[in-house]
Amino acid sequence: MGHKRFRPTPIPRERRLRQCARFSLTDAHGQPIEVMVRDISSRGLSAAAIGTPPPAETVVRARLEDGQELWGLVRWSRGNLFGVEFDTRPGSLTPPS
């Protein structure tokens, strides 16, 4: 099959908001993690740490502008860049045990 006949199957994916804004996350113990957010969606964010990034598989908390808090897990880390997947399950606004 030639590439001209190839039709990719659309995979619905939420549009991410690309932004470069100062943002403060906290770790599970409430210690601040200073970052610059690269992009963010309802499922997670990608950021650059100003200093040491949180290690992979650690829990972080994000406070949104509207005061809502989201818990997430650091899924990857490369240099000072890292990605967080938010816990989007119902009732996930409480800290993980």
Side-chain angles (χ1 to χ4, degrees), residues 36-68:
M36 291 292 289
V37 174
R38 296 169 10 145
D39 61 55
I40 189 167
S41 74
S42 65
R43 295 179 182 254
L45 62 83
S46 168
I50 301 170
T52 306
E57 304 303 316
T58 58
V59 175
V60 295
R61 179 177 58 192
R63 182 178 292 268
L64 304 180
E65 290 178 341
D66 64 3
Q68 182 181 16

Side-chain angles (χ1 to χ4, degrees), residues 14-91:
E14 178 182 2
R15 177 168 279 238
R16 290 184 251 175
L17 299 175
R18 296 196 70 75
Q19 63 181 30
C20 194
R22 198 162 179 94
F23 193 83
S24 182
L25 294 176
T26 58
D27 65 17
H29 304 289
Q31 297 299 313
I33 306 165
E34 292 297 319
V35 300
M36 291 292 289
V37 174
R38 296 169 10 145
D39 61 55
I40 189 167
S41 74
S42 65
R43 295 179 182 254
L45 62 83
S46 168
I50 301 170
T52 306
E57 304 303 316
T58 58
V59 175
V60 295
R61 179 177 58 192
R63 182 178 292 268
L64 304 180
E65 290 178 341
D66 64 3
Q68 182 181 16
E69 289 185 341
L70 295 173
W71 290 86
L73 189 64
V74 176
R75 289 297 188 183
W76 59 269
S77 180
R78 282 184 223 105
N80 72 326
L81 304 177
F82 65 98
V84 174
E85 179 183 12
F86 295 137
D87 186 353
T88 58
R89 296 172 294 164

